[in-house]
Amino acid sequence: MAGGRRGPVRVGAGLGVLLCALHVQAACRDTTVTQELLKEGFHRDLLVKVELGEDAGGCAVAAQVHLPPGIYVDPDELATLQQHNLTKAVLSPDVIDVEAPEYLAKALVLLLFLEPETRCSRCFHGTVPVHARYHRPARGTQQALVALESPEVLLCCCHGMPSLGHLSEECWEPAEVDTPCSSDTTSPCQWHTTKHRPAYEESMLRVPVGLREHSSLVCALTLITTGLCSGLILAAACKYGHFSQ
């Protein structure tokens, strides 16, 4: 009889744990993140919007964006924008070759600090200029697709509150981010990321590329143009130049 009585108890306990887990998971999934590439061409603006499932309570909110080799942020442009308080971000690595083509460049990690919106206490947004790199010529198409992964939402509560403060520990876990919570402090703080990731979305950037079928024509025209211009410069130098004996 003792063994028969344990069955319903175990089933009831298991069902309770399952319902609790589903409740926590449903509550944590309320956090949403969207991104949008504004403007057209090689020079765009990346807009990131986040709506938290709970009030941030003064904690710093940021989006960690992984930029593929086909997209980069200009460190000098970023520094100028930050001097004028137009954006706040940390780029890693902070020294990059902005002239490198896509096939010689490396991926970047951008930590974009988000600003709160006035009409929504749980809503945040941030914008940063991004630029497309030149790609190799393609065969049969004049566009190269660059996939931009969905950003990761991060929270940092370092203003005298331990750990996450009032936020739910069931929804947030420590993140490996060695960056201060704001530009006002220099010491790193503990960042947290959502345990239940928002729905995965990626943005596609279409970059114009040349046709590989035109390589011979482009090389021939470049060689002819270079030779013609060199000849004109040499002729002008011989006609109007003053050479010492």
Side-chain angles (χ1 to χ4, degrees):
M1 294 295 293
R5 291 177 181 177
R6 291 177 184 174
V9 174
R10 290 182 178 178
V11 173
L15 182 59
V17 172
L18 178 60
L19 291 176
C20 181
L22 291 175
H23 175 73
V24 171
Q25 187 174 2
C28 297
R29 281 182 175 175
D30 288 339
T31 297
T32 60
V33 55
T34 59
Q35 63 179 355
E36 183 180 0
L37 288 168
L38 307 178
K39 301 180 180 178
E40 298 292 336
F42 279 82
H43 309 287
R44 315 287 285 269
D45 285 340
L46 176 62
L47 172 63
V48 179
K49 293 184 177 181
V50 170
E51 183 176 354
L52 301 177
E54 52 187 325
D55 198 328
C59 297
V61 182
Q64 185 169 256
V65 185
H66 294 271
L67 299 176
I71 306 176
Y72 72 94
V73 173
D74 189 338
D76 295 332
E77 182 182 22
L78 182 60
T80 301
L81 293 174
Q82 294 192 116
Q83 288 178 357
H84 293 84
N85 294 324
L86 297 178
T87 189
K88 294 181 181 179
V90 177
L91 187 63
S92 179
D94 56 354
V95 178
I96 63 173
D97 184 3
V98 298
E99 300 295 338
E102 178 269 341
Y103 49 87
L104 295 179
K106 296 181 179 180
L108 305 172
V109 178
L110 177 72
L111 185 66
L112 178 62
F113 291 87
L114 306 181
E115 297 292 333
E117 297 186 3
T118 56
R119 297 184 178 181
C120 178
S121 61
R122 299 183 302 169
C123 302
F124 300 82
H125 71 278
T127 307
V128 64
V130 296
H131 310 277
R133 294 186 182 274
Y134 290 104
H135 288 60
R136 293 182 185 273
R139 188 178 299 276
T141 179
Q142 292 183 320
Q143 289 183 336
L145 298 179
V146 180
L148 186 59
E149 297 180 358
S150 181
E152 180 181 0
V153 182
L154 299 175
L155 281 184
C156 184
C157 306
C158 295
H159 43 278
M161 294 192 305
S163 184
L164 283 175
H166 70 289
L167 299 176
S168 303
E169 294 185 359
E170 296 85 357
C171 301
W172 302 89
E173 61 184 358
E176 297 181 0
V177 178
D178 188 18
T179 303
C181 283
S182 66
S183 57
D184 300 331
T185 60
T186 57
S187 58
C189 297
Q190 180 61 62
W191 288 86
H192 291 78
T193 182
T194 54
K195 290 184 179 180
H196 302 278
R197 301 291 188 268
Y200 179 82
E201 295 181 0
E202 65 178 13
S203 299
M204 302 299 296
L205 175 63
R206 300 179 183 273
V207 182
V209 298
L211 288 175
R212 189 173 298 178
E213 294 86 344
H214 296 167
S215 298
S216 300
L217 178 61
V218 172
C219 291
L221 291 177
T222 302
L223 183 61
I224 293 174
T225 303
T226 303
L228 179 61
C229 293
S230 300
L232 292 175
I233 294 174
L234 182 60
C238 293
K239 183 176 182 179
Y240 301 104
H242 300 280
F243 302 96
S244 58
Q245 298 296 332

